[in-house]
Amino acid sequence: MIKSIIEPFKIKVIEQIKMTSPPERQRYLEEAGYNPFLIDAENVLIDLLTDSGTAAMSAEQWAAIAQGDEAYAGSRSWIRFKNSVQNIFGFKHVIPTHQGRAAERILFSCMVKNGDVVPNNTHFDTTRANIEYLGGEAVDLVIPEGKQPATLHPFKGNMDIAALCATIQKAGRDRVPLVMLTLTNNSGGGQPVSMANIRAVRKICNEHQIPLYIDACRFAENAYFIKLREEGYKAKAPLDIAREIFSYADGCTMSAKKDGLANIGGFLATNDDTLAQQEKNLLILTEGYPTYGGLAGRDLEAIAVGLNEALHEDYLNYRIASTRYLGDHITREGVPIVQPPGAHAIYIDAAAFLPHIPRYQYPGQALVAELYLEGGIRAVEIGSVMFGKPGPRPGEEIPATMELVRLAIPRRVYTQSHIDYVVEAILDVWSRRDKIRGLKMVYQAPFLRHFTARFERV
Ligand code: F0G
C-alpha cells in the first residue's frame, strides 16, 4: 500500500503566489497593526483565513458556468440546481440565497420571536447573531467532551441529549420554535455529529413536536466521518449517508461556499408548505425571485455540480487525510491542537502554545502574527480578540473560554507540498516560542472588533 497522500485531481489553471521575504512581511504586518485581516491577500503566501468561498472549481463546474441561464424566472440553471439539491437533501422546498447567513435570517425571521430559545450543538457566529437580533436566545448544548481541546472522541460535535431535554423542559415547548444541529460543528473545532446522535435528537423533537433543522455547511465531510467512524456505515456511499442524515430533519440552511465547492451561494430547504410560502415572500423582499434568490444562473450551475463533487469518495478521503496529516505532524512535535483533527481546519491551542503570554496580551493573536512573519501564512484568532468581553472595571477584560488559532484549509486549492510548508513554518515558530511576546490592542471598533483591531508588541 502506498502511503503518500496525493490530490485526486490534476491542475489545469494556476494562480501565481507572490513570494515575500521576512523583512517584507515584517513591514506588511506592522502596516496592518499585527492584524492579518488588514493585510492584502496578494501579500499572503498560504491563506488559511477561511474554507468559505475559497474552493477551486473543477473543469465540470466551469463548463456548467458557461451554460448559465440568466432568465429571471424559472431558468434552466434553477431547475438543475433544485434537482441537484433535492437529489441529495430530499426536502420538498428549496429556496436559493446568496449565502448561508441569508438563509438563516429568512428561516429565523419566519420562526423565531422575542423570548424564544433555539438549541444547537454550537451556533456559528452568524446563526447566533441572527437569532439574538430577533430577541431569541441561542443555546449551545454540545457534549462536555466537545469543549475540551485535548479529549479524544469520535463525534465531539454531538449534542448533549440530557441537556436538550432539560432546556426544552425549562423553556417550555412553546418557546422552542426549532432545534438545530451544525454539521460539522465549526465553532467546536470542526467536529462531526454521529448518525445515532442525529436520530436521538430527532426522537426528542418528535416527542415535543419541534422541527429539526440542520446547518448543513459541511454535510459531506460529516457524512464521511460517519462512514469512517460509525458502526454500520463502512460500506455505504457518502451520498446515501447524507440522504439518511437529512431524512431525519424538517429542513436545512446551507452555505454552498463550503461543501457546495462554490465561491458564493447557499439555500434554505424545508418540508413545510406554509413556512416555505412565508420564506419565499421574505426572499422576494430582500434576496430576489425564488428561482434565483440573489444568485446568477451561473452560480446556481456551479453549486449544482459542486454539491455532487463534494460527495466523491476519493475527494473526501484526500480532504480528511490531508488535514489530518497537518494536525498529526505538528502534534507529534508537541504542538497542542484541538483533537482529533477535523476535516476543514486545524485549531491550535494558543494558550498552551504560549503559556507565558497572559490572556490580556492575546496569545492567539501573537501566534497569528508569528505564523505570518515566519511563513506568510494567514490564520485567524478565535479567542479573546474575537470573544473577549469588557470586565467590571474600566480597561478590564473577561477573556474568552479558549484561545484558539484556526488554520482553515480551502478545498482543492493547496497541494501536499503547501501543507508540508505549513507544518515546517509552525514547527519553526514552536521551536522559538519562549521568545514570542504578547500584543497590546491600540484600536478597537465598538463591535466585531477582530476584523479591524490594531495592535502593538508589548
Ligand atoms: N454556518 C456555519 C457552520 C458556518 O461555518 C458559516 C460560515 C455559516 C453558517 C454562514 O455562512 O458565510 O455563507 O453566510 N462560516 C465561515 C467560516 C465564514 O469562516 O467559518 P455564510
Side-chain angles (χ1 to χ4, degrees), residues 391-409:
R393 276 188 293 264
E396 237 180 42
E397 221 172 77
I398 302 166
T401 351
M402 288 194 270
E403 304 292 342
L404 300 179
V405 167
R406 184 180 79 167
L407 305 155
I409 319 291

Side-chain angles (χ1 to χ4, degrees), residues 39 42 59 76 78 113 124 199 229 252 299 329 355 357 377 379 399 434-435 438 440:
I39 296 174
E42 186 190 36
R76 271 193 316 275
W78 151 247
K113 55 183 195 314
F124 180 67
R199 257 187 244 118
R229 297 181 185 170
C252 74
D299 298 327
H329 276 71
I357 299 182
I377 297 161
D434 298 345
K435 296 185 195 71
K440 181 171 119 204

Side-chain angles (χ1 to χ4, degrees), residues 32-44:
Y34 289 85
N35 187 350
F37 271 111
L38 304 174
I39 296 174
D40 290 342
E42 186 190 36
N43 296 325
V44 173

